[in-house]
Amino acid sequence: MASKEESRKLNRVIRSIYESLLASGHLTAEDLEDGEALPSKVLSLLQGPDINFLIDHRDKLLPNAEHFANEGTFELALMFYATYYEHTINKIIGATVHSSDLSASVTKGILRNVNLEGKLTWVLEVLGLPAFNAHYLKTVKNVSEARNAFVHYKWQPKSSDTKTTSGHQLPQLSEDASKAANYFKKFEARCLFKGNKGRLHKAIDSKKA
C-alpha cells in the first residue's frame, strides 16, 4: 500500500500530465465539462503517437530560491529565481509553438537564440500572447543582471556586501524577485490554460471524491 508521501507524489505527476495536455491543446475546455469521461480521454491521448513529455524541474527552483533568501544568501536566491523565470517563459513559448502550425525548429531557434528580454517582449507579441507586465519585466531584467554578475564573477561579494554592481539592494531585489515569480505563475496560467486551470483541477479532484 502506498504511503501518504508516495500518494502525494503520484497525484502531482497525474496533475502535471493533465496540465500538460491542457496547455498543449490536446485537452480542451469542452473536455473539462464531463469529469466522468475525462480520464478516458486522457488515457486515449497517452496511448497516441503524438504525445511527448518534458521533465519540469521548476518545483525545485522556487523552494531553493526561498531557502537561500531566508538564510541571507541572496546571490544564490537570485540565481534560482532567474532560472525559474527562464524555464517558465521557455515552457510558455514551447507549448504555444507546439500547438500552432510552426515547426519544431522554430521553437529551438527562439529558445536558443533569443535572450530573456526578447522572449518576454516581442516573441510574446509575435505568438499572439498577452503582454508581460512592464513592472515585473523590469524586476526580471534586474534579477537576471544580478544573476549574470554573480555567475560570471563580474563582482566579488563580501559578507557585508548587499548590493549588486548596478546598485540594487540584494534583500529588496530578492523580495521583488519572489513577487515576480508569483506573477509568472499567473501569467503562465493565462497564456496556457486560458482561465481553465481551476476547472481542470476541479475536474480531477471530483474523480477522487
Side-chain angles (χ1 to χ4, degrees):
M1 184 175 180
S3 67
K4 289 184 178 179
E5 179 60 25
E6 289 172 334
S7 296
R8 281 194 292 268
K9 289 181 179 179
L10 178 59
N11 287 334
R12 284 199 297 268
V13 171
I14 293 173
R15 182 163 292 199
S16 295
I17 290 173
Y18 276 68
E19 288 179 358
S20 295
L21 292 173
L22 180 61
S24 65
H26 289 91
L27 284 180
T28 66
E30 288 71 24
D31 293 322
L32 306 183
E33 298 290 343
D34 189 350
E36 293 295 324
L38 186 58
S40 297
K41 175 66 178 291
V42 170
L43 183 60
S44 67
L45 288 171
L46 294 178
Q47 293 173 335
D50 300 325
I51 302 298
N52 294 300
F53 290 101
L54 298 176
I55 298 175
D56 191 343
H57 297 285
R58 291 180 301 161
D59 61 333
K60 303 179 181 68
L61 296 175
L62 288 185
N64 277 317
E66 293 163 2
H67 167 76
F68 286 117
N70 289 335
E71 70 172 22
T73 313
F74 299 111
E75 297 88 356
L76 289 177
L78 295 172
M79 182 178 70
F80 280 103
Y81 279 124
T83 305
Y84 173 82
Y85 302 156
E86 290 172 346
H87 280 222
T88 302
I89 191 58
N90 285 350
K91 179 182 178 181
I92 292 171
I93 292 171
T96 302
V97 173
H98 179 76
S99 63
S100 70
D101 294 329
L102 299 174
S103 67
S105 62
V106 172
T107 304
K108 290 182 180 179
I110 293 174
L111 299 186
R112 291 179 179 178
N113 300 322
V114 181
N115 64 18
L116 183 58
E117 182 177 359
K119 292 173 183 176
L120 291 171
T121 52
W122 65 265
V123 170
L124 294 177
E125 184 175 355
V126 168
L127 295 178
L129 294 171
F132 197 83
N133 179 277
H135 171 74
Y136 291 112
L137 176 59
K138 183 177 180 180
T139 298
V140 169
K141 290 166 63 176
N142 290 337
V143 171
S144 180
E145 177 187 284
R147 186 275 308 271
N148 291 340
F150 173 64
V151 171
H152 298 295
Y153 302 101
K154 294 182 180 178
W155 102 93
Q156 296 294 333
K158 302 176 183 177
S159 59
S160 60
D161 188 5
T162 61
K163 290 186 178 181
T164 67
T165 49
S166 57
H168 295 104
Q169 291 287 343
L170 291 179
Q172 182 60 54
L173 184 56
S174 182
E175 183 178 334
D176 293 343
S178 178
K179 294 176 182 178
N182 288 331
Y183 172 76
F184 251 111
K185 294 177 185 178
K186 298 175 183 177
F187 185 74
E188 178 186 6
R190 182 182 177 193
C191 290
L192 299 186
F193 304 112
K194 309 297 190 295
N196 292 311
K197 190 173 184 179
R199 292 179 60 204
L200 174 65
H201 290 172
K202 185 177 180 180
I204 296 172
D205 293 338
S206 69
K207 294 301 297 176
K208 300 176 185 177

